Amino acid sequence: MSSSRRKVLLKVIILGDSGVGKTSLMNQYVNKRFSNQYKATIGADFLTKEVMVDDRLVTMQLWDTAGQERFQSLGVAFYRGADCCVLVYDVNSAKSFETLDSWRDEFLIQASPRDPENFPFVVIGNKIDMEEGKRMVSQKRAMTWCQSKGNIPYFETSAKEAINVEQGFQAACKNALQQEGEADIYSDYPDAIKINSHDADQGYGCAC
Amino acid sequence: MGGGPATPSDVDSLDDRSSEDAVEVSHRITTRTAQDPLGARAYEGGSTWGERASSYDGEEGTGEPKRARLLYSKSKVYLHPTSYLRDNIPGFISIVQLGTSTDYLLAWIPEASIEGTPDYESYVLVELSSDSEQTTLVTPPPPSSAHAFSIPIRTLYSLQIQPPTLSAWFGSVTFSLYGGDVFPPLYFHDEESRSTVLDRDRRAAALGALGADRREGGNGAGIKVPPSWGGEALLGQLRQYAQIVRSQLEPSLFLVNPSRSDLEVHSTALFEDEAVPSEAMQGMRLRNGDAESMSAGERSRREGKRNSILHQSLDAQEYPDEVGPGMDNFTFNVLNSFSRITRGARTAAQTAAQSVLSHPLAKPILKNIPEPIAQFATAPGELTRLQETAGVGAYDAARVYLAKWARVVAEEGERARRAEVVISGPGGRAEDTEVGAFEVLSSTYKITRPKSTRASATPIVDTEWAAWFDDHGKLMLTEEEAKKRIFQRGLAHDVRRDVWPFLLNVFPWDSNTDERKALRKEKTAIYESLKAKWANDEELQKTDRYAEESHRVEIDCRRTDRTHPMFASDDEDFNQADSPHPPSNAHVKSTQEILLSYVFATESRDYVQGMSDLLSPIYVVCEGDQVMAYFAFETLMERMKGNFLRDQSGMKGQLTLLQGLLRTMDVQLYKHLEECGSLNLFMCFRWLLCSFKRELSFDQTLQLWEVLWTDYLGTNFHLFVALAILEAHRDVIIRYLREFDEVLKYTTQLSQTLDIEAIMADAEVLFVTFRQVVEASDCQRAAAAASTDPEKGGMRRRKLVVEKEPEEEGAAYPPTLPPKGKGKEVDGLEKEVVELAVEEVPQVDEELRVLLS
């Protein structure tokens, strides 16, 4: 605590169809617990978690969003300044996998990161605890898609049984940090000015 | 709860006859002393005492009360039940032993209770006697009475010690028990207490000798310095029966037999620069009139002591003048700590905030700073709940954490204040119930504060509801009158099933029993055909639309209100083996059918998240009657369908209206939210989308909804409800929250903490206030127009007002200068004088007028 090391706040947005387990994944990762009583997320909420990455203390702010596509238009209010986006689908639902494309596109439009080509995503196929026969999306199919989108890291998880959840979010964290680069790391939370300066930078405008 | 003061198991297993009793009584004492002399009167009657004493005897199983050994006694220890001198109650603080038990009791009894008995003499004798070998027997102190207590010393958790200062004449000691109960402070009237006066004299002599010793280079070790005031003397006595350790974090706090974890917490400097408050404390103490001057050497010796050893205890004999700081110091220290938190870097702030609130120090702090916080103390579990709400491992920005803390404290204060208003009777202190916005507005518009007409204590019950109808089952009241009553009083739960179909237009208000029977038949047929539309159409069921809609409906119904008894059970018949969905039951399935019938009734509908939340309370009130629930839900959706439009235009419109309302009513909060980047009011999104359902308990939701559906104060009353919630938290928001995410987190976590009754009453007040503002604004505009163009402007404005406000408020207040003096009663509201502020009156946006319709 007394260290003067710079602290980092990473904003991670979790997207995907309703019912794929976004809230469950987030709670499993942050609070180490699972409940099948989570209500459908309305609007948005976030949890934060502190992690050490290499020897750096990082605070992850994980944004849980409503899964129904029509609520996406509100995303702009909280996608802004995102450092990473976690796309979640349910391996037992082909539909939820097929919509990943539109979730990704919509996110890039609304968050408008300065380098959309290289913006860090992570894909999570959730609910692998179900029996194999239920599975609708093969690992191969998912990985092919991830590869085609610029080698997005892919994880198969079970929020219910806490399988691979930690790894998935850690990857999100690391990729976001790499993307940031040391120069962009801002210290001392809360510092919205720094967060917002992302946006200011995007214009590449010159005052003169 | 890692840091909280856990009740040790040995306390539970105490066979002592009074531990539970004492706890229960402490509540009463605390509440009584908070405000009234009632307790004192009750005591004077003496009856409570007698009952308690005899019940105690009974528990002992003997006819004869056992005798207790009086080990220590001190007179003129007062309760101050009120701030009036005349209400002070003198008594004896004592330490007694029952039989040969090693459970020593700490007791306080009023003088009056033993006056004229042999016990009285015993108490006086023991006070003045220094012979501890002598055995003095007395009647065991009663376990509890209106103003007496006796508790095993081992149930003591801490003492809060405030020595006398120049500003606080009497020093006090406050006892806290494990489990969080706190007794009212006991004040030591040293001038009256014979033992203390005696001590004083001896002390003066001893100090004189000590001084002489010092001058001669001696260490004065041989001279015993008696305590300087009663609290110190008591502390000295208690040390013989328990380990008492002074907190390093808060020098006025003394822990009794502290656990290891308490020791650790109280010996760790909370802040890296802990020396600063410590230094400041010294300064404060001096300024506070602790007149004894301190040499630099002495000070550093103390500092060294404070900062060196784990949890040192106060050695009264070595440092006779080192006593806890006064209340001001205590407050200062706490506030100082908090200011550090708000200034501090993020991680430090988080740790600090969590330490402050989670370690055992928090409880005494919350209980011993000002009035509202003292009230907080009487709500056990509040802090725990607060911490649990925050979630294990969930991180809250320090400011959000502090804001939540401030909110809980403020709410407790508010609750206590309301209780006080009830006690002091109606009309007592109505001016205190101000909504923040009102203060702001009343300075601009000279309007008087309206009062809420809500009377929720007497909800409409089934017999009353039945009495509104004639023999044919036709309502004898007007629809408006019925709605007004429902608005003002709400419904008892068992009558909701009958009333909601009227509120939701399933039955017209002017229908009679036969007509309703026919309607019911008709609607059953309609519903059956709607259901058949999707349930019996195999072609439809093959479509993508059906697959999507039924999937959405299913996953949402299966996670809606599953803790409600109707939806709670998991019925195997409704579960496919190994389904990815949460389990289901007949009622869950039934809500799915209703939603699908709604969706497939027309081509253009689809299911949107939030709808299942709207249906569930209706379904429960209709007791699972699909037909009634369907049509009631359909009406509700008519009211709310704007919220579910694909382009979100409805929600945006709502939020825009709310934003405009906020700007008109509380520009300060508006500007603050603007600075926080929160003017989109996204944090209110969930409130509005499902009509506060997620923010309230199930029962509270029912209470609010039936009020909203009366449309008694317009169809947008829910926006005033939203405004009332924001207003209830405006001070906290303005003071603590700076960022969009902080505001969002804070408001999200208000869920399940809201006092819906207070909110509805505030919402009504805000509505009427807003109406006054619109009127005042109109009057001014009309006056201005009339002065420039008397022909046109004035008339047009007058007309507009009348059109816009069919409730003829415009007529009551024609857009000319309103009459002075008290207005008439309109709408059952005590109507106020609207005086025009001659200076500038902000204009109310035309768009906002929809809020009045």
Side-chain angles (χ1 to χ4, degrees), chain A residues 1-2 7-9 11 18-19 30-31 33 36-50 57-59 61 63 66-71 73-74 77-78 90 92-93 95 127 129-131 134 188-193, chain B residues 272 345-348 350-351 391-397 399 548 551-552 555-556 559 561-563 577-580 582-583 606-610 613 644-648 652 680 682 685-686 689-690 694 739-742 744-745 748:
Chain A
M1 173 163 56
S2 61
K7 288 161 195 101
V8 184
L9 175 70
K11 188 168 176 180
S18 68
V30 175
N31 294 325
R33 62 185 174 202
N36 60 9
Q37 298 287 351
Y38 293 124
K39 296 176 176 186
T41 305
I42 306 272
D45 194 5
F46 66 88
L47 291 180
T48 46
K49 183 180 170 86
E50 306 222 320
L57 182 66
V58 175
T59 300
Q61 192 181 52
W63 285 77
Q68 198 159 0
E69 66 280 4
R70 77 181 54 202
F71 294 120
S73 63
L74 297 149
F78 49 89
D90 172 359
N92 310 293
S93 157
K95 173 88 186 345
K127 304 196 188 181
D129 49 280
M130 305 292 296
E131 71 180 49
K134 294 269 174 187
D188 275 7
Y189 172 90
D191 198 340
I193 299 156
Chain B
E272 288 163 44
R346 181 162 187 258
T347 314
Q350 174 201 359
T351 314
V392 181
Y395 164 74
D396 290 327
R399 282 202 293 266
E548 259 181 56
H551 172 73
R552 280 192 196 134
I555 59 172
D556 274 9
R559 48 181 174 165
D561 295 322
R562 295 305 297 274
T563 50
D578 206 25
S579 154
D606 47 12
Y607 172 79
V608 184
Q609 292 195 314
D613 280 291
F644 299 98
L645 295 176
R646 186 166 294 278
D647 60 1
Q648 293 293 306
K652 283 171 188 161
N680 52 22
F682 191 77
F685 185 86
R686 189 175 71 187
L689 185 84
C690 43
R694 294 287 183 91
E739 306 292 341
F740 169 74
D741 54 356
E742 291 173 354
L744 182 81
K745 191 79 196 163
T748 307

Side-chain angles (χ1 to χ4, degrees), chain B residues 501-502 504-508 511 515-531 597 625-635:
Chain B
F502 288 89
L504 288 171
N505 286 334
V506 181
F507 297 136
S511 61
E515 286 163 348
R516 287 195 291 274
K517 264 186 194 156
L519 258 176
R520 159 90 216 198
K521 210 171 165 185
E522 200 180 303
K523 285 185 186 290
T524 306
I526 295 172
Y527 179 71
E528 290 308 325
S529 71
L530 285 174
K531 197 169 163 183
S597 302
D625 182 333
Q626 272 198 26
V627 177
M628 294 303 283
Y630 175 85
F631 287 98
F633 174 72
E634 199 173 42
T635 307

Side-chain angles (χ1 to χ4, degrees), chain B residues 330-563:
Chain B
F330 187 92
T331 312
F332 169 81
N333 202 18
V334 171
L335 295 182
N336 195 311
S337 307
F338 283 148
S339 75
R340 252 160 245 280
I341 290 164
T342 51
R343 285 200 313 263
R346 181 162 187 258
T347 314
Q350 174 201 359
T351 314
Q354 284 175 346
S355 314
V356 164
L357 291 167
S358 62
H359 71 54
L361 178 59
K363 272 196 175 178
I365 284 179
L366 298 174
K367 285 161 190 174
N368 289 290
I369 9 183
E371 182 58 21
I373 305 178
Q375 288 303 313
F376 177 83
T378 59
E382 198 75 330
L383 186 69
T384 314
R385 188 181 60 72
L386 178 68
Q387 287 171 328
E388 278 166 1
T389 318
V392 181
Y395 164 74
D396 290 327
R399 282 202 293 266
V400 179
Y401 208 100
L402 281 176
K404 280 196 293 180
W405 180 79
R407 159 174 63 80
V408 172
V409 170
E411 281 171 1
E412 284 304 321
E414 174 66 10
R415 225 171 285 168
R417 195 197 53 68
R418 279 172 205 272
E420 208 168 296
V421 169
V422 170
I423 287 167
S424 66
R429 300 166 55 178
E431 73 279 6
D432 285 354
T433 58
E434 298 222 326
V435 177
F438 192 81
E439 293 168 17
V440 180
L441 285 168
S442 59
S443 60
T444 311
Y445 307 91
K446 290 180 181 164
I447 46 181
T448 326
R449 188 180 196 281
K451 288 192 181 85
S452 169
T453 61
R454 300 244 331 138
S456 56
T458 54
I460 294 152
V461 296
D462 50 357
T463 47
E464 181 180 358
W465 168 253
W468 293 0
F469 291 83
D470 65 17
D471 294 343
H472 304 287
K474 192 161 174 173
L475 186 71
M476 294 183 289
L477 307 177
T478 61
E479 178 183 335
E480 285 65 39
E481 178 61 21
K483 285 180 169 178
K484 176 182 163 183
R485 292 186 191 183
I486 295 167
F487 174 88
Q488 291 177 339
R489 292 163 50 202
L491 300 170
H493 186 72
D494 54 2
V495 77
R496 287 198 171 111
R497 190 185 176 178
D498 297 327
V499 184
W500 279 29
F502 288 89
L503 282 172
L504 288 171
N505 286 334
V506 181
F507 297 136
W509 287 91
D510 58 359
S511 61
N512 61 36
T513 311
D514 291 341
E515 286 163 348
R516 287 195 291 274
K517 264 186 194 156
L519 258 176
R520 159 90 216 198
K521 210 171 165 185
E522 200 180 303
K523 285 185 186 290
T524 306
I526 295 172
Y527 179 71
E528 290 308 325
S529 71
L530 285 174
K531 197 169 163 183
K533 252 176 129 175
W534 58 269
N536 301 340
D537 186 339
E538 287 178 14
E539 286 305 307
L540 176 79
Q541 290 184 5
K542 286 177 193 158
T543 62
D544 282 350
R545 183 184 175 213
Y546 180 83
E548 259 181 56
E549 297 292 349
S550 62
H551 172 73
R552 280 192 196 134
V553 165
E554 181 174 15
I555 59 172
D556 274 9
C557 286
R558 285 180 182 233
R559 48 181 174 165
T560 302
D561 295 322
R562 295 305 297 274
T563 50

Side-chain angles (χ1 to χ4, degrees), chain B residues 111 134 151 287 405 463 465 548 560 578 639 642 679 719 770 787:
Chain B
E111 266 175 28
Q134 191 185 332
I151 43 163
R287 248 178 293 147
W405 180 79
T463 47
W465 168 253
E548 259 181 56
T560 302
D578 206 25
R639 293 179 69 93
L679 211 47
L719 294 179
F770 177 71
S787 64

Side-chain angles (χ1 to χ4, degrees), chain B residues 608-642:
Chain B
V608 184
Q609 292 195 314
M611 288 183 185
S612 66
D613 280 291
L614 294 182
L615 171 62
S616 150
I618 291 177
Y619 182 82
V620 167
V621 164
C622 292
E623 293 168 17
D625 182 333
Q626 272 198 26
V627 177
M628 294 303 283
Y630 175 85
F631 287 98
F633 174 72
E634 199 173 42
T635 307
L636 179 58
M637 282 307 300
E638 278 306 302
R639 293 179 69 93
M640 303 196 60
K641 63 184 173 191

Side-chain angles (χ1 to χ4, degrees), chain B residues 67 88 126 182 228 269 271 295 311 334 347-348 361 366 376 404 422 445 486 607 709 720 746 767 778:
Chain B
R67 305 291 283 174
N88 290 350
V126 169
V182 182
S228 64
F271 306 99
S295 73
H311 272 281
V334 171
T347 314
L361 178 59
L366 298 174
F376 177 83
K404 280 196 293 180
V422 170
Y445 307 91
I486 295 167
Y607 172 79
W709 297 338
F720 290 91
Y746 179 79
F767 178 89
D778 284 347

